[in-house]
Amino acid sequence: MVGTVGRLFVGVDLAADARHALAARLADTVEGRLPGKVAPPPNWHVTLRFLGDVDQVRRDRLLMALAGADLGPTFDMTLTNLGAFPKAAKAAVLWAGVADGSVALEVLASRVEEACREAGFDPEERPFHPHLTLSRIRPPQDVTGLIRDVEGFRIRTRVDGVTLFKSHLGRGGARYEVLERFELGVRS
Ligand code: 2AM
């Protein structure tokens, strides 16, 4: 794409205490046993809208649209239990799920989607499944036992902003650069 500024997505960054709590839970239960390409804790986030390669004009329009959007109030979400896409018996993506707060996240994702459309992006057709990716597994594996071993945690954390990230893909794995953060509960 001409004039691309990179591969962008909008997500919810995880607060440091929740990041530490989840890392501790994994260390206590399945240390060293996560299969596939494991996402390091600094990379953990919940994607609200993946944009792919974006040109400068649309990036700037999106920054304006998100800055001017009413993204709604802050809210709490609870990270709980692991799951897998497409299914635990043949997992390609291992994730931590969202319990309380998943409806609020869905509403937030739809507000972000509105801003994306305002900025000229095509509508997102895929349904929103809030999740926090822990590992990408090729070829897929059965993670049923592993999911069971981690079960039973609840990590409550506040969602108070959304972040526009730039994804840098490299041989050492992905790195996510924060381009801009937009606070919830603030109307500009
Ligand atoms: P994932 O966590 O489910 O893999 C940065 O790559 C973020 O954008 C990740 O959270 C990833 O979701 C998401 N992402 C990457 N490629 C995507 C695609 N083609 N469609 C939707 N989401 C994608």
Side-chain angles (χ1 to χ4, degrees), residues 7 9 45 47 50 85 93 124 126 131 133 136 167 176:
R7 194 177 145 89
F9 65 100
H45 63 272
T47 298
F50 180 73
F85 295 142
V93 176
E124 173 58 89
R126 288 164 297 193
H131 66 280
T133 295
R136 297 181 175 85
S167 168
Y176 304 133

Side-chain angles (χ1 to χ4, degrees), residues 37-188:
K37 210 167 164 50
V38 177
N43 278 10
W44 290 348
H45 63 272
V46 177
T47 298
L48 296 172
R49 176 61 149 91
F50 180 73
L51 299 159
D53 274 321
V54 173
D55 62 55
Q56 195 175 334
V57 172
R58 276 198 302 172
R59 189 262 326 261
D60 290 347
R61 279 191 196 149
L62 180 61
L63 286 169
M64 293 236 304
L66 285 170
D70 177 6
L71 294 171
T74 63
F75 60 93
D76 284 347
M77 70 174 177
T78 303
L79 296 172
T80 186
N81 296 339
L82 306 194
F85 295 142
K87 57 182 179 180
K90 216 175 178 186
V93 176
L94 177 70
W95 43 258
V98 177
D100 312 330
S102 63
V103 172
L105 262 182
E106 220 166 289
V107 171
L108 180 57
S110 69
R111 290 173 187 228
V112 167
E113 173 66 16
E114 249 174 67
C116 292
R117 292 197 198 181
E118 200 182 310
F121 290 90
D122 289 336
E124 173 58 89
E125 307 287 359
R126 288 164 297 193
F128 176 61
H129 296 297
H131 66 280
L132 185 156
T133 295
L134 296 172
S135 177
R136 297 181 175 85
I137 308 165
R138 301 280 181 280
Q141 286 185 32
D142 184 349
V143 294
T144 314
L146 187 132
I147 287 174
R148 206 180 307 124
D149 290 346
V150 186
E151 220 166 63
F153 70 92
R154 290 179 73 79
I155 298 168
R156 200 167 177 79
T157 183
R158 180 135 282 237
V159 177
D160 58 9
V162 303
T163 303
L164 179 63
F165 289 101
K166 176 170 170 174
S167 168
H168 298 265
L169 302 176
R171 265 186 302 173
R175 182 174 65 79
Y176 304 133
E177 176 191 354
V178 172
L179 295 187
E180 191 80 56
R181 193 166 192 277
F182 303 89
E183 303 285 324
L184 302 190
V186 179
R187 187 94 214 252
S188 55

